[in-house]
Amino acid sequence: MALIREQPIFTTQAHVFQIDAGTKKDWVQASKNSVSVSFYYDNTRNTYRIISVDGSKAIVNSTITPNMVFTKTSQKFGQWSDPRANTVYGLGFSSEQELTKFIEKFKEVKELTRQASGVKSGEVNGTGENHSHPSPQVSRQNLHQRTNSLSSIQNDSGGLRERRNSFTQGGSNGLPANTSTEAQLKYENDRLKLALAQSSANAKKWEVELQTLKNNNARLTAALQESTANVEEWKKQLAAYKEESVRLKKRILDQDKGGGGDPLMVGQLTDQLERIRLDNHNKQEEIKRLNAQLQDLTIKDGQTSGLQVRIQSLEEENHSLSLRLQDAHRQLQESRSSKDQESRELLRLQEILGSKISELYETHETIIATIRRESNS
């Protein structure tokens, strides 16, 4: 099995909150119930993270930096800001003692991040108890050795009985179990759940952005088609205005050459000519604006294609993570099945050994009775 890169070094139970992204004041409850909140150490990158998973959703994934500050705001509540995640996390504990322990661990981990990169953190292993059971060892020489007094024989018999009882009764209290493999599989399972939750969240975010771009694309396309139709109409009107302008200019020149004309008519023609020029200028500006919209629409189409590629990549990554998660579940089940089989085999061996010890005890009792008879004779 591959070496696990991250190891949990501290775990507690707490209610998880996040600051409201809209108001930046109110708290939003991220977990309905109390969940596990753990400190993890990455031995390859020499970094620490606070991680909490609620089902398949990662509700806390915060990398600790030397500049982070955990603030105790009440007897059972504390918070810290994570600039990388662009949010503020809050934790509600069941008691002030639990909050104090978390604050101490937070300070300890933050101090470790300040140290030089060459400082190595000690490995943290789970403690376990080794239950050993005394097994009676009776040699052939002791079985045939004669004692000088009956009291010494009775003491030896009592000691053997106590050892037999301790063996036959102690086996059910402490069965050896190979828990390290199961713990590694559980950790790998949680890590895959976290990666799958992050990938799913990213995929949903890109899907929302893609849908928004599609809606904007459809709206701009409709506006562009309408504007294109208007441009054609405006071009026809512009051509008509130009012809009218030329005709009016010609009339004005003719009247000037004729030695005068009606001043009122000249003023009307001049005003009409200015209006035509103004309309012409406005139509030119509208054409420029529509061309700029067309360029923006082309850029949006390129962004939409890029998002589609990224969403497809995220879907493939989600599928791969799902397969790995299923494989981790299968390995965990196999480990548990193997553990149960080993436990049953150990119980069977203990029963056989217990019966052998009983037979040995009966043989010993027979030998003692024989020794007594010989001593009395």
Side-chain angles (χ1 to χ4, degrees), residues 257-275:
K257 290 179 180 180
D262 188 0
L264 181 61
M265 179 65 70
V266 173
Q268 291 178 351
L269 292 175
T270 302
D271 293 339
Q272 187 175 1
L273 181 61
E274 289 297 327
R275 287 196 299 272

Side-chain angles (χ1 to χ4, degrees), residues 143-274:
L143 289 176
H144 295 284
Q145 183 180 8
R146 296 178 180 269
T147 58
N148 295 324
S149 63
L150 183 60
S151 60
S152 62
I153 295 174
Q154 293 175 346
N155 290 335
D156 292 339
S157 175
L160 180 61
R161 185 181 297 108
E162 292 178 357
R163 289 194 296 271
R164 185 195 63 171
N165 293 335
S166 66
F167 183 87
T168 56
Q169 296 176 1
S172 60
N173 295 331
L175 293 178
N178 185 12
T179 59
S180 60
T181 302
E182 184 176 352
Q184 290 179 353
L185 287 174
K186 286 184 178 179
Y187 166 76
E188 185 69 18
N189 192 4
D190 292 340
R191 193 172 64 83
L192 288 174
K193 284 183 179 180
L194 176 61
L196 181 61
Q198 290 176 340
S199 181
S200 299
N202 292 335
K204 290 180 181 179
K205 182 181 70 175
W206 290 119
E207 285 178 0
V208 172
E209 292 189 7
L210 178 61
Q211 187 62 39
T212 303
L213 287 176
K214 284 182 178 179
N215 295 336
N216 292 337
N217 190 4
R219 181 173 57 82
L220 290 175
T221 301
L224 181 62
Q225 291 175 353
E226 182 181 357
S227 299
T228 303
N230 293 334
V231 167
E232 296 297 331
E233 183 66 24
W234 291 338
K235 285 182 179 180
K236 293 179 181 179
Q237 292 180 6
L238 182 61
Y241 289 156
K242 286 182 178 179
E243 292 178 357
E244 182 70 15
S245 177
V246 171
R247 186 177 63 80
L248 291 175
K249 284 181 179 181
K250 184 177 180 182
R251 287 181 60 182
I252 292 173
L253 291 175
D254 292 340
Q255 289 179 0
D256 291 340
K257 290 179 180 180
D262 188 0
L264 181 61
M265 179 65 70
V266 173
Q268 291 178 351
L269 292 175
T270 302
D271 293 339
Q272 187 175 1
L273 181 61
E274 289 297 327

Side-chain angles (χ1 to χ4, degrees), residues 5 34 37 57 64 74 97 122 145 156 162 220 246 253 261 277 286 298 305 309 321 355:
R5 192 180 67 184
S34 178
V37 182
K57 180 182 179 182
I64 300 176
S74 67
Q97 290 77 10
Q145 183 180 8
D156 292 339
E162 292 178 357
L220 290 175
V246 171
L253 291 175
R277 288 177 179 175
E286 185 67 20
T298 303
S305 300
V309 173
L321 287 172
S355 63

Side-chain angles (χ1 to χ4, degrees), residues 39-51:
F39 286 86
Y40 280 85
Y41 172 62
D42 190 333
N43 54 18
T44 59
R45 299 181 180 177
N46 197 19
T47 58
Y48 295 85
R49 287 197 300 167
I50 301 177
I51 297 176

